[in-house]
Amino acid sequence: MFEAARGFQFCEPTIFERGVPGRNGLSIAPLDVPEVDSRALFGALLREKQAALPEVSEPDVVRHFVRLSQQNFSIDTQFYPLGSCTMKFNPKVNEWAARLSGFAHLHPYMPEPMWQGGLEVMFRLEQLLAEIVGLDAVSLQPAAGAQGELTGLMMIRAYHHAHGRSPKKVLIPDTAHGTNPASCTFNGLVAVPFASGADGIVHPEQLVSLIDDDTAAIMLTNPNTLGLFERHLPQIAELVHGKGGLVYGDGANLNALLGRARPGDMGVDVMQFNLHKTFTTPHGGGGPGCGPVAFKKALEPFRPIPVVRKTENRYALDTNCPKSVGRVRSFYGNFGMMVRAYAYIREMGAEGLKAATDLAVLNANYVRVSLGADYPPAFDALCMHEVIVSDKALQKETGIKTLDIAKRLIDYGFHPPTVYFPLVVAGAMMIEPTETESKETIDQFVAAMQAIAREARETPEKLHEAPNITRIGRIDEARAARKPRLRWSPNAQG
Ligand SMILES: *Cc1c(COP(=O)(O)O)cnc(C)c1O
């Protein structure tokens, strides 16, 4: 019926295809109470047909899900230099903390006196995050970075309305993450893209003619998605503030700043954190995220509800905030992620966070220099926590594509870096090693990249077919997204 395995690479059908009628994984004790007439109990609601559930044994279920889990690539199995995503190792002590029964078994409808500890963790985490970025207050509610952006922009809009204005334009450099313009549009604002300077960063002179009374905000990522520090941010903020606009900081790259620089000190008014990136909560499998927003006092009245307040020795949730943008997430946000981030920050301490940033920047620059001969950096400058290299010259010389290199890396056992982003760099490969990788691991990655460059010159056909030793070969990604085939078939590739 189906191939059982290829070595130890299991070819797993869907669990529905595994079932056999009548098989099950339960043994239920014989009934020792009077049987209930289910028709009398449920009436018209009684289900006539059996639910089409897979009928499988307990080992079937366990193997199915363990096998699927083994098809995952994760930071726990290998180096994962996916730029912009900060795939750092997530310390297991975070998992211990989040699983403590006092946290894990909280119910969102519990009365406040029963979960004072949970509220205290939220309150303390807000304070720590505010201090790390030099802003006045934090709301932990948004469920991801993108939702944090949206929330911040909602607050900016509410702020302008409260001042009797409704400016519409949000200036966004062409290097920005796609979620930036999307969040603007979603919030009824107009994204105005502009080109960053030839050196990859934004210069105040460029903006003078763009900023006017209709400018609601500028949205900047610092360091930007080219891995470069936006060193003119304070002057840019002054220009925007001068016309009544605000500065939104995309905080996804905070891993480059911890303990070294604070967005609030650079003129940022509101920003989001990506706790799942910078503060080590597992991500990458589409699991929950947490994208708190930090903001200056002037924006506080517009923050989402509920607000965690401390009064004497009690913590309470406040929903009486008439100017608030409202709820952006059910209940209190993704609480488990907050516990993990809190555990991480307390474990690291101020010195540890600063060391993490220093090492992240050192590792990225080590990659930049080590790869330079085959894959020159897009900008010949010190980078921050990630480096954008280009294979443009290699493409011209050998005819291979960036995607070929990325796919071939899989044969070498590495997750490919982010490719074709940022859009402004031809042949972009965005590599973010993070601070948690050893020199040995980074050296292996560099050796693999160099081996691929040699292959590109000597046996380019090998690269067009990669990956060659994976369970599934190269797929048509556009078709896989538009016409997903969810049924396993014995004739299908892989
Ligand atoms: C990851 C990222 C985002 C979006 O964050 P999510 O948590 O994935 O929604 C926004 N901007 C930048 C620069 C990012 O790297």
Side-chain angles (χ1 to χ4, degrees):
M1 286 298 293
F2 54 84
E3 207 180 343
R6 192 177 296 164
F8 278 137
Q9 290 186 24
F10 298 103
C11 298
E12 188 62 15
T14 69
I15 195 155
F16 290 89
E17 287 159 290
R18 267 201 174 281
V20 171
R23 181 173 295 167
N24 74 58
L26 304 169
S27 49
I28 298 173
L31 196 65
D32 62 354
V33 292
E35 192 164 354
V36 172
D37 176 2
S38 48
R39 182 156 304 282
L41 192 62
F42 294 112
L45 294 177
L46 185 69
R47 191 195 283 269
E48 297 296 344
K49 275 206 309 212
Q50 248 198 326
L53 296 175
E55 296 180 72
V56 284
S57 68
E58 183 173 337
D60 285 342
V61 174
V62 170
R63 285 188 185 152
H64 177 72
F65 286 106
V66 172
R67 285 175 179 190
L68 290 185
S69 78
Q70 289 172 340
Q71 291 176 10
N72 278 340
F73 185 94
S74 77
I75 193 66
D76 285 352
T77 47
Q78 177 59 315
F79 184 44
Y80 203 145
L82 191 67
S84 208
C85 296
T86 311
M87 305 303 290
K88 57 167 90 173
F89 178 76
N90 308 298
K92 299 304 170 215
V93 68
N94 296 354
E95 298 306 311
W96 166 81
R99 283 167 174 72
L100 287 172
S101 99
F103 293 137
H105 295 155
L106 289 177
H107 190 282
Y109 280 135
M110 264 176 166
E112 278 163 18
M114 291 179 70
W115 68 294
Q116 287 290 306
L119 288 168
E120 182 172 354
V121 165
M122 290 174 71
F123 187 84
R124 286 197 196 187
L125 178 61
E126 286 182 1
Q127 291 194 317
L128 290 173
L129 292 175
E131 184 182 338
I132 287 169
V133 295
L135 288 163
D136 297 317
V138 167
S139 166
L140 300 173
Q141 285 228 351
Q147 206 196 9
E149 291 171 29
L150 177 64
T151 307
L153 289 167
M154 286 161 72
M155 291 167 67
I156 287 177
R157 213 173 80 159
Y159 167 91
H160 288 308
H161 281 186
H163 288 81
R165 301 177 62 225
S166 50
K168 283 271 180 284
K169 294 197 300 198
V170 179
L171 308 180
I172 303 178
D174 54 7
T175 52
H177 197 268
T179 50
N180 288 188
S183 301
C184 283
T185 309
F186 213 64
N187 188 37
L189 297 169
V190 180
V192 179
F194 66 92
S196 34
D199 55 355
I201 62 173
V202 182
H203 294 266
E205 309 85 75
Q206 292 175 267
L207 295 174
V208 174
S209 61
L210 286 175
I211 302 171
D212 57 23
D213 293 337
D214 196 30
T215 304
I218 189 167
M219 236 178 151
L220 285 179
T221 312
N222 200 14
N224 64 25
T225 60
L226 296 167
L228 303 173
F229 188 69
E230 293 284 2
R231 63 176 180 277
H232 305 300
L233 183 49
Q235 297 93 294
I236 293 168
E238 218 177 292
L239 282 177
V240 176
H241 289 149
K243 289 280 184 184
L246 295 176
V247 179
Y248 184 92
D250 181 330
N253 292 343
L254 195 60
N255 213 43
L257 302 181
L258 299 171
R260 287 285 174 194
R262 305 196 305 172
D265 299 337
M266 302 175 209
V268 166
D269 298 296
V270 51
M271 63 174 285
Q272 101 278 359
F273 300 82
N274 299 54
L275 293 192
H276 42 292
K277 294 180 180 172
T278 318
F279 297 99
T280 65
T281 41
H283 69 296
C290 193
V293 277
F295 39 86
K296 290 207 167 131
K297 267 229 143 39
L299 286 161
E300 191 153 9
F302 315 104
R303 62 183 294 168
I305 50 167
V307 181
V308 186
R309 304 248 190 239
K310 185 178 181 185
T311 46
E312 286 159 42
N313 282 332
R314 282 232 157 282
Y315 295 91
L317 289 171
D318 184 3
T319 51
N320 183 22
C321 310
K323 292 186 183 163
S324 164
V325 297
R327 270 182 194 278
V328 296
R329 177 73 170 80
S330 53
F331 301 113
Y332 324 110
N334 285 331
F335 179 73
M337 319 270 304
M338 299 169 198
V339 178
R340 290 174 174 89
Y342 182 74
Y344 176 70
I345 294 171
R346 293 303 303 269
E347 182 200 13
M348 296 291 276
E351 285 307 311
L353 291 178
K354 193 197 275 178
T357 275
D358 291 357
L359 255 180
V361 173
L362 179 66
N363 282 352
N365 279 288
Y366 182 67
V367 170
R368 176 177 66 85
V369 173
S370 305
L371 286 181
D374 292 312
Y375 309 91
F379 293 90
D380 194 15
L382 271 181
C383 63
M384 298 293 284
H385 65 305
E386 60 196 355
V387 61
I388 289 52
V389 301
S390 169
D391 64 2
K392 200 168 73 173
L394 197 65
Q395 281 190 40
K396 219 167 163 188
E397 183 190 335
T398 65
I400 54 112
K401 297 195 171 72
T402 311
L403 193 69
D404 297 329
I405 298 172
K407 296 295 184 191
R408 185 63 176 153
L409 259 179
I410 298 173
D411 282 336
Y412 283 89
F414 292 101
H415 194 288
T418 300
V419 291
Y420 301 119
F421 180 79
L423 304 173
V424 297
V425 175
M429 306 181 85
M430 185 187 211
I431 304 169
E432 181 177 10
T434 82
E435 72 280 10
T436 57
E437 297 303 329
S438 66
K439 179 170 178 297
E440 291 76 18
T441 301
I442 297 176
D443 283 339
Q444 283 169 7
F445 170 76
V446 167
M449 290 288 284
Q450 288 167 342
I452 293 169
R454 268 197 308 279
E455 288 176 347
R457 295 190 178 104
E458 290 161 13
T459 50
E461 66 286 353
K462 236 186 182 156
L463 295 188
H464 299 314
E465 287 153 21
N468 298 299
I469 51 172
T470 47
R471 205 177 55 83
I472 293 177
R474 198 179 294 201
I475 56 169
D476 178 339
E477 285 165 8
R479 217 176 84 205
R482 290 191 183 129
K483 292 189 180 164
R485 185 173 52 77
L486 301 177
R487 236 167 227 295
W488 187 88
S489 126
N491 302 322
Q493 181 199 15

